[in-house]
């Protein structure tokens, strides 16, 4: 006879529905990111702009201009004061968002909020991530196959790592800021010491398929990997063992940014090349919902930090940002 109470059951799944749609950009939406404070939704586009939207109405609050080519990725500092953007113009930009959070809405369009331009990559910058422990450090990955670590205060690259043999598709700090995971079109996923730049572990090195996205779980124990064979994998990076595979969506072409949803149950959320947003049960691996509405591939999703909300962004035949909510 086993003793003790049965394990707690997850809350019953409540479906999401589309609540809002907006078109804040003239071109494809490449990235959507809720701020950690939950008060802003940042979106990036191939038109070279970054927009700050209301997370409830999707009304435009501010537009950040300065990049000369498309923007591929965004990252917030943990305090939500700063936003980093990665662009095909080979630069990263750091934007000061404090006056947007505290000031009138919409914000003054004449204010230039860019406080740093980080230069050093020799090709497109595809990924960026703030160190969760400090707004003075950013990691980036690019088509020059390097992972770079930057001092935001000085704007200097403090470390350039020849990380991969093909473009770097993603960089992501663990929650204590000590290590970075990177993924690449070369089919590998690697762990780096954020202080020394040393490669601590190669999680996978399969040549094919490409690793299109890699990120640590919120608790720092797992890595979620997307590969261009229509699959997402959850890995215990300490042991190198793959624990779960999530499938059913379409992903063979684009680097689709997935997300963990932890506000009501534990889910994996991802866009898809069939124009839908998919939600899986993290433990059970089963698809809980397939959300339809977009008219082109969905390559970025973001989960609100405290509310049961998901944002999604789609490519040029759609150009919309959509907000999905749970009722009840």
């Amino acid at each position: 006879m086993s003793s003790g109470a049965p394990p707690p059951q997850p809350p019953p799944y409540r479906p999401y529905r589309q609540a809002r749609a907006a078109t804040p950009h003239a071109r494809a939406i490449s990235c959507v990111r809720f701020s950690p404070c939950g008060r802003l939704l940042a979106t990036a586009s191939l038109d070279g702009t970054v927009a700050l939207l209301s997370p409830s109405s999707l009304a435009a609050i501010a537009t950040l201009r300065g990049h000369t080519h498309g923007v591929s990725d965004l990252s917030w500092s943990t305090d939500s004061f700063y936003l980093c953007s990665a662009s095909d113009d080979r630069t990263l930009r750091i934007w000061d968002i404090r006056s947007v959070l505290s000031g009138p809405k919409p914000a003054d369009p004449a204010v230039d909020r860019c406080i740093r331009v980080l230069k050093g990559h020799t090709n497109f910058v595809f990924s960026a991530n703030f160190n969760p422990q400090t707004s003075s450090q950013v990691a980036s990955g690019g088509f020059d196959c390097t992972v770079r670590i930057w001092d935001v205060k000085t704007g200097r690259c403090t470390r350039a790592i020849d990380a991969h043999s093909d473009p770097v598709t993603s960089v992501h700090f663990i929650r204590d800021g000590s290590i970075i995971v990177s993924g690449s079109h070369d089919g590998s996923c690697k762990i780096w010491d954020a202080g020394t730049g040393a490669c601590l572990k190669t999680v996978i090195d399969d040549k094919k398929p490409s690793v299109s996205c890699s990120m640590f779980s919120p608790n720092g124990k797992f890595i979620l990997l997307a590969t261009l064979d229509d699959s997402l994998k959850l890995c215990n990076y300490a042991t190198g063992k793959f624990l779960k595979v999530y499938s059913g969506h379409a992903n063979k072409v684009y680097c689709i940014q997935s997300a963990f949803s932890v506000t009501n149950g534990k889910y994996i959320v991802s866009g898809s090349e069939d124009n839908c947003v998919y939600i899986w049960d993290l433990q059970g691996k089963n698809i809980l919902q397939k959300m339809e509405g977009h008219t082109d591939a969905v390559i970025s999703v973001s989960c609100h930090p405290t509310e049961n909300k998901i944002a999604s962004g789609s490519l040029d035949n759609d150009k919309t940002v959509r907000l999905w909510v749970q009722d009840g």
Side-chain angles (χ1 to χ4, degrees), residues 164-188:
H164 293 277
S165 57
D166 279 318
V168 178
T169 56
S170 55
V171 290
H172 191 246
F173 279 97
I174 199 168
R175 66 178 187 174
D176 71 3
S178 62
I179 56 177
I180 298 165
V181 63
S182 66
S184 169
H185 280 309
D186 67 11
S188 72

Side-chain angles (χ1 to χ4, degrees), residues 26 40 44 87 95 116 202 223 268:
L40 291 170
S87 172
W95 311 86
R116 291 284 181 275
T202 298
I223 291 171
I268 302 292

Side-chain angles (χ1 to χ4, degrees), residues 50-317:
V50 175
L52 299 176
L53 310 180
S54 159
S56 51
S57 69
L58 298 187
I61 295 170
T63 301
L64 309 178
R65 305 178 191 277
H67 284 297
T68 57
H69 293 84
V71 179
S72 290
D73 199 15
L74 297 170
S75 179
W76 287 94
S77 61
T78 300
D79 57 16
S80 302
F81 289 171
Y82 302 98
L83 183 67
C84 178
S85 54
S87 172
D88 286 359
D89 67 11
R90 306 183 181 188
T91 72
L92 300 109
R93 283 179 174 251
I94 308 293
W95 311 86
D96 187 340
I97 310 301
R98 287 176 293 180
S99 63
V100 179
L101 285 169
S102 61
K105 313 286 189 290
D108 183 349
V111 176
D112 181 6
R113 302 178 198 284
C114 181
I115 57 168
R116 291 284 181 275
V117 180
L118 309 182
K119 298 179 180 178
H121 278 286
T122 58
N123 205 329
F124 306 148
V125 192
F126 199 69
S127 180
N129 193 234
F130 264 104
N131 185 325
Q133 297 299 319
T134 172
S135 58
S136 63
Q137 189 177 63
V138 163
S140 63
F143 272 49
D144 57 7
C145 309
T146 67
V147 169
R148 291 174 188 255
I149 299 171
W150 306 83
D151 182 330
V152 172
K153 289 178 178 172
T154 64
R156 292 178 56 184
C157 176
T158 57
R159 201 164 295 282
I161 305 165
D162 291 322
H164 293 277
S165 57
D166 279 318
V168 178
T169 56
S170 55
V171 290
H172 191 246
F173 279 97
I174 199 168
R175 66 178 187 174
D176 71 3
S178 62
I179 56 177
I180 298 165
V181 63
S182 66
S184 169
H185 280 309
D186 67 11
S188 72
C189 171
K190 298 178 181 180
I191 308 281
W192 307 92
D193 185 299
T196 66
C199 183
L200 301 177
K201 195 179 194 87
T202 298
V203 182
I204 56 168
D205 190 8
D206 289 344
K207 308 301 182 228
K208 287 188 177 181
S210 292
V211 176
S212 51
C213 186
S214 59
M215 62 188 297
F216 285 103
S217 60
N219 66 8
K221 293 180 180 176
F222 308 105
I223 291 171
L224 184 66
L225 289 172
T227 47
L228 294 184
D229 58 354
D230 308 318
S231 72
L232 285 157
K233 302 178 182 75
L234 193 69
C235 172
N236 180 329
Y237 72 91
T239 64
K241 286 194 167 67
F242 287 99
L243 308 174
K244 312 275 185 186
V245 178
Y246 308 93
S247 59
H249 64 309
N251 185 202
K252 285 190 165 67
V253 179
Y254 297 106
C255 293
I256 295 177
Q257 300 164 347
S258 46
F260 289 87
S261 173
V262 295
T263 52
N264 181 35
K266 291 186 169 60
Y267 311 133
I268 302 292
V269 184
S270 178
S272 175
E273 288 158 13
D274 64 3
N275 310 348
C276 297
V277 177
Y278 284 77
I279 302 177
W280 292 266
D281 180 81
L282 187 146
Q283 291 295 342
K285 303 177 293 185
N286 51 304
I287 294 172
L288 294 168
Q289 192 174 356
K290 173 183 173 183
M291 304 191 300
E292 300 178 345
H294 283 289
T295 56
D296 203 346
V298 180
I299 66 163
S300 185
V301 295
S302 181
C303 298
H304 192 279
T306 57
E307 300 171 24
N308 301 324
K309 286 180 183 176
I310 296 169
S312 57
S314 185
L315 293 183
D316 267 326
N317 288 330

